[in-house]
Amino acid sequence: MTERAAGPRTIAIVGGAGKVARRLLPLLLADDCTVVPLVRRPEQASELEALGAEPRLLDIERAGVVDYLPVLDGVDAVVFAAGGGPDGNVERKRTVDLGGTLATLAACAELGIRRYVQVSAIGVDQPPSADSSPVWQAYVAAKKVSDLAVRRSELDWTILRPAALLDDEPTGHVQLGVDLEPAPISRGDVAAVIAAVLPQPATLRRQWDVVGGVLPVLEAVARAAS
Ligand SMILES: NC(=O)c1ccc[n+]([C@@H]2O[C@H](COP(=O)([O-])OP(=O)(O)OC[C@H]3O[C@@H](n4cnc5c(N)ncnc54)[C@H](OP(=O)(O)O)[C@@H]3O)[C@@H](O)[C@H]2O)c1
């Protein structure tokens, strides 16, 4: 399974202007996919359009499920890579990370979109330490409940749980597995893992930690899925 399989051709990215999403875009375009980043600001849409994407506007914090239907209409797969970000806002963990996931899942079910890849975070099933910040506790809770909803869905999901994300150049080498040591990983390498799992049937209904490692991306995915 180290070869790329044929997979979804039109792929929406929720959180499409994010740092992981921006690194995923060229990989999917290079695979001749149509990429539909969902963004909340027109200037983000213009910028991504110039790069070859077909962006659509959606503000997760203002949208209900009904608003997702037109923007996800016609896509074959959805990557959820949105997040409330590092602004220290507890409420945005609930509205963006969790609320966004739940609404996206509901819209996919409604539209019959089966393939779904969730970008989560390593270790979120472990209770955060009692002295961790309220923001961190809210983040962990949002990701944990989001992933539970993904696993309970009828979709063809894959959950990827990266360790701390770096803006370093991608190495092309990663490790996927369960209960891994949280070695930091570049956003570009996470993007490469997303691109690798999207078309692979062996990755359906699987959840992995994704950390810095020594195996080429396709081989790491193949080993984890075997
Ligand atoms: N940071 C880490 O070390 C780490 C580790 C493991 C996992 N993760 C997770 O990995 C995922 C991707 O990370 P990243 O670095 O790519 O994150 P990022 O750059 O912060 O991207 C998140 C995207 O979500 C979008 N978003 C936030 N609120 C929104 C709203 N109301 N409506 C529409 N879009 C909204 C942001 O839009 P704007 O650009 O408009 O703000 C941003 O483009 C996140 O879910 C994050 O939690 C992060």
Side-chain angles (χ1 to χ4, degrees):
M1 203 191 71
T2 51
E3 298 296 316
R4 270 195 199 291
R9 304 316 306 164
T10 303
I11 299 158
I13 310 175
V14 187
K19 292 180 181 172
V20 168
R22 285 171 187 271
R23 288 158 175 80
L24 178 59
L25 173 63
L27 304 181
L28 297 178
L29 291 176
D31 257 359
D32 288 329
C33 294
T34 299
V35 184
V36 180
L38 306 190
V39 302
R40 58 178 165 165
R41 287 194 287 268
E43 60 270 27
Q44 294 168 323
S46 305
E47 193 190 333
L48 293 168
E49 200 166 25
L51 296 173
E54 298 188 9
R56 299 177 188 169
L57 289 171
L58 181 87
D59 186 333
I60 294 170
E61 285 154 279
R62 293 166 191 268
V65 175
V66 71
D67 301 304
Y68 286 70
L69 300 179
V71 293
L72 290 179
D73 192 29
V75 313
D76 307 318
V78 174
V79 175
F80 187 93
D87 65 1
N89 186 319
V90 167
E91 177 63 8
R92 295 188 71 238
K93 308 304 177 197
R94 195 180 61 76
T95 54
V96 178
D97 297 72
L98 176 56
T101 297
L102 298 179
T104 306
L105 292 173
C108 286
E110 176 83 19
L111 291 166
I113 302 166
R114 295 207 53 84
R115 188 73 177 109
Y116 181 94
V117 176
Q118 174 85 347
V119 182
S120 178
I122 196 168
V124 297
D125 289 335
Q126 308 305 321
S129 68
D131 61 353
S132 57
S133 73
V135 176
W136 181 251
Q137 298 200 20
Y139 176 73
V140 168
K143 291 296 194 197
K144 176 181 175 178
V145 178
S146 297
D147 290 0
L148 190 59
V150 173
R151 292 194 300 272
R152 285 182 174 163
S153 78
E154 301 289 320
L155 305 184
D156 291 337
W157 52 265
T158 306
I159 298 173
L160 301 174
R161 293 178 149 184
L165 299 178
L166 307 171
D167 286 332
D168 297 3
E169 283 299 307
T171 65
H173 293 76
V174 300
Q175 187 181 0
L176 275 71
V178 177
D179 294 333
L180 298 181
E181 286 300 312
I185 180 167
S186 81
R187 288 178 167 87
D189 285 327
V190 173
V193 172
I194 298 169
V197 301
L198 265 168
Q200 290 292 355
T203 69
L204 303 189
R205 305 186 81 78
R206 305 291 303 271
Q207 169 181 291
W208 294 295
D209 298 339
V210 182
V211 304
V214 296
L215 289 178
V217 167
L218 288 179
E219 192 179 335
V221 170
R223 281 207 197 182
S226 64

